């Protein structure tokens, strides 16, 4: 198969070829979608390493369901649905596990410390600024993490992936008006959380 | 449109999800209504803050690692299929099955080579059928062939026995 043809063929076509065991088509498919899948999960979980693991799991699922794949929906809709389900299931199992292990706040603190020291290690001009940026980023990610799962899926797909309400509705499996109200609630929740964090830490001058 | 209705639609307005008529109507309302435009400013502020979370890059080895996992999955899948086959048999039975299979295969292989050597020794015309050879090999089968370790042990044991 001509490389140019492969690069320009639709994801649905690449998927059909992957289903027949064509690893070259599968590789193009992975490279085409790895960034958006990874970042969707990163914004959902707030954890870079976990995002890499889950993104791998998404594409593992894609590979194994390729032989039975029927292009009834857009490929991106389908793959985001897999990613969202994986994220929600992972969160559920994590919550159950946390009941029996150390409180989660400790891990988050460690993450922040690691991130801050990593930023220091790059020896950029102003450590204070970097500290502020890193903490701000962490607080925004934390605020997203506190949203209920469906609100979070809708918000991340809209804000970072730029999908329409119609596409988000297909991914979540609800109506367009339901997505609308998810978005309203997500934005109100987020605003409340970010403003209260602003007041608490004074990290967010307005 | 009332402020209450506008506020309900502000999020969709921000996301450009309304018809162009509605987008225009809300835009002109916001210009004349401080309360609604304050709420909209909050939405905008939140939206901008979300933009401060940067995109991350996939690892260079993302695809390679994936291929490894796929290969690993296949291996594990094969082993688990094997386990599925044997899970209904208790361990001693599984061992007995494997030993029996080994004996049968070994006997067949042995017969085959034994007969082949007979054929080559006696020219093109084999004097014995395969069945004859099999029966002969069973009749002449010595459980303790002379010169083996087992034979020596049996001799030792019988010597001790006769000494009593
Ligand atoms: Zn108003």
């Amino acid at each position: 198969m001509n490389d140019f043809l492969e690069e320009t063929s639709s994801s649905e076509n690449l998927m059909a070829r992957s289903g027949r065991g064509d690893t070259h088509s599968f590789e193009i498919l992975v490279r085409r979608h790895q960034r958006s899948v990874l970042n969707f999960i990163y914004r959902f979980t707030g954890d870079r390493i976990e995002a890499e693991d889950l993104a791998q799991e998404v594409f593992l699922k894609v590979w194994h369901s390729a032989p039975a794949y029927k292009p009834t929906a857009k490929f991106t809709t389908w793959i985001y649905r897999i990613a969202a389900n994986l994220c929600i299931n992972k969160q559920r199992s994590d919550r159950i596990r946390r009941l029996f292990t150390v409180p989660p706040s400790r891990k988050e603190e460690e993450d922040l410390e690691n991130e801050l020291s990593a930023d220091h290690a790059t020896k950029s001009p102003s450590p204070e600024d970097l500290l502020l940026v890193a903490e701000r980023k962490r607080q925004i990610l934390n605020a997203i993490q506190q949203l209920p799962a469906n609100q979070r899926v809708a918000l991340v797909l809209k804000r970072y992936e730029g999908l329409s309400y119609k596409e988000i509705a297909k991914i979540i499996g609800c109506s367009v008006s339901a997505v609308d109200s998810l978005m309203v609630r997500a934005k109100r929740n987020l605003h409340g959380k970010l403003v209260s964090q602003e007041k608490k830490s004074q990290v967010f001058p307005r | 449109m009332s402020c209450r209705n506008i506020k309900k639609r502000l999020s969709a307005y921000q996301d450009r999800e309304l018809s162009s008529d509605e987008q225009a109507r809300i835009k002109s309302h916001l210009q004349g209504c401080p309360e609604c435009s304050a709420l909209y400013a909050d939405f905008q502020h939140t939206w901008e803050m979300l933009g401060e979370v940067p995109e991350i890059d996939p690892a260079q080895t993302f695809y390679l690692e994936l291929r490894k996992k796929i290969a690993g999955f296949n291996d594990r899948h094969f082993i688990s299929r094997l386990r599925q086959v044997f899970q209904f048999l208790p361990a001693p039975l599984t061992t007995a099955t494997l030993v029996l299979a080994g004996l049968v295969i070994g006997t067949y292989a042995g017969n085959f080579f034994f007969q082949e050597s007979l054929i080559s020794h006696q020219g093109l015309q084999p004097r014995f059928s395969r069945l004859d050879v099999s029966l002969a090999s069973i009749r002449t089968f010595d459980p303790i062939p002379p010169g083996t370790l087992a034979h020596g042990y049996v001799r030792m044991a019988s010597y001790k026995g006769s000494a009593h």
Side-chain angles (χ1 to χ4, degrees):
Chain A
M1 177 59 68
N2 187 318
D3 251 20
F4 176 75
L5 268 181
E6 289 255 330
E7 297 287 351
T8 52
S9 34
S10 70
S11 297
E12 290 79 5
N13 276 339
L14 291 172
M15 190 63 183
R17 284 207 284 272
S18 303
R20 296 194 288 271
D22 180 352
T23 51
H24 184 57
S25 293
F26 182 62
E27 180 173 359
I28 293 166
L29 195 68
V30 172
R31 293 196 191 281
R32 189 180 288 175
H33 296 283
Q34 60 183 9
R35 174 172 281 270
S36 51
V37 168
L38 175 71
N39 275 284
F40 166 73
I41 301 173
Y42 172 56
R43 268 86 184 231
F44 188 96
T45 61
D47 185 307
R48 198 189 185 107
I49 292 159
E50 195 180 351
E52 286 262 357
D53 282 351
L54 284 174
Q56 293 256 323
E57 231 171 285
V58 169
F59 285 105
L60 210 58
K61 269 218 159 90
V62 169
W63 171 256
H64 288 299
S65 32
Y69 175 75
K70 297 265 185 314
T72 48
K74 250 171 78 181
F75 178 77
T76 45
T77 307
W78 182 73
I79 198 171
Y80 278 131
R81 198 184 298 149
I82 293 179
N85 284 334
L86 263 178
C87 285
I88 292 168
N89 287 341
K90 180 81 192 350
Q91 190 192 340
R92 238 175 247 152
S93 62
D94 278 358
R95 218 172 257 166
I96 292 166
R97 214 183 48 215
R98 272 175 195 170
L99 286 177
F100 303 101
T101 51
V102 286
S105 58
R106 185 68 210 124
K107 188 185 159 284
E108 277 165 17
E109 275 168 32
E110 274 169 17
D111 278 357
L112 180 60
E113 276 163 26
N114 288 342
E115 222 162 284
L116 295 182
S117 56
D119 281 335
H120 276 307
T122 57
K123 285 186 182 166
S124 291
S126 163
E128 285 82 17
D129 281 358
L130 280 175
L131 203 109
L132 219 72
V133 167
E135 196 178 336
R136 237 178 114 99
K137 195 183 89 184
R138 171 56 48 195
Q139 290 192 350
I140 296 165
L141 277 173
N142 274 349
I144 300 174
Q145 301 330 293
Q146 287 165 37
L147 294 176
N150 270 359
Q151 287 180 31
R152 212 184 318 165
V153 171
L155 180 102
V156 171
L157 288 175
K158 182 76 220 174
R159 178 62 182 89
Y160 300 106
E161 305 302 322
L163 299 192
S164 69
Y165 284 7
K166 206 173 149 194
E167 285 169 297
I168 297 170
K170 277 186 196 150
I171 290 162
I172 299 181
C174 63
S175 64
V176 172
S177 62
V179 174
D180 190 2
S181 69
L182 279 177
M183 286 302 294
V184 172
R185 275 179 283 156
K187 287 175 188 178
R188 289 209 177 126
N189 277 339
L190 261 188
H191 179 70
K193 290 194 167 88
L194 291 174
V195 166
S196 72
Q197 278 180 356
E198 241 170 27
K199 280 178 187 153
K200 241 194 289 177
S201 62
Q202 294 298 315
V203 183
F204 301 106
R206 245 188 110 171
Chain B
M1 233 192 276
S2 67
C3 283
R4 211 170 139 248
N5 276 333
I6 296 281
K7 280 175 189 163
K8 266 192 213 157
R9 284 175 161 74
L10 268 184
S11 162
Y13 168 78
Q14 182 185 32
D15 293 338
R16 311 267 184 284
E17 286 280 343
L18 300 174
S19 66
S20 49
D21 276 8
E22 250 180 317
Q23 291 281 140
R25 222 179 305 156
I26 290 176
K27 195 177 177 186
S28 68
H29 178 97
L30 288 179
Q31 279 160 357
C33 176
E35 200 187 316
C36 288
S37 59
L39 185 63
Y40 187 62
D42 284 348
F43 275 1
Q44 289 285 67
H45 177 60
T46 306
W47 216 234
E48 275 159 27
M49 277 177 74
L50 289 175
E52 288 176 36
V53 180
E55 215 175 52
I56 57 171
D57 296 321
Q60 290 285 319
T61 54
F62 187 89
Y63 180 71
L64 276 178
E65 277 165 36
L66 185 62
R67 292 290 333 165
K68 266 189 231 157
K69 276 183 197 168
I70 288 172
F73 182 91
N74 287 343
D75 291 349
R76 258 181 289 132
H77 198 60
F78 177 71
I79 291 167
S80 71
R81 285 291 283 276
L82 263 186
R83 269 202 203 113
Q84 271 172 16
V85 170
F86 285 111
Q87 71 176 340
F88 300 110
L89 298 172
L93 202 59
T94 307
T95 317
T97 312
L98 288 174
V99 167
L100 204 67
L103 278 175
V104 168
I105 292 166
T107 308
Y108 266 96
N111 278 349
F112 179 75
F113 289 118
F114 181 58
Q115 197 194 28
E116 290 302 297
S117 65
L118 273 183
I119 290 166
S120 59
H121 274 299
Q122 282 151 8
L124 292 168
Q125 192 71 29
R127 240 189 244 167
F128 311 102
S129 70
R130 273 172 193 268
L131 184 67
D132 287 337
V133 174
S134 299
L135 289 175
S137 68
I138 289 170
R139 278 192 211 109
T140 60
F141 178 69
D142 188 350
I144 309 156
T148 59
L149 211 64
H151 183 67
Y153 179 76
V154 167
R155 274 182 59 193
M156 254 166 64
S158 54
Y159 174 75
K160 255 192 175 177
S162 64
H164 272 280

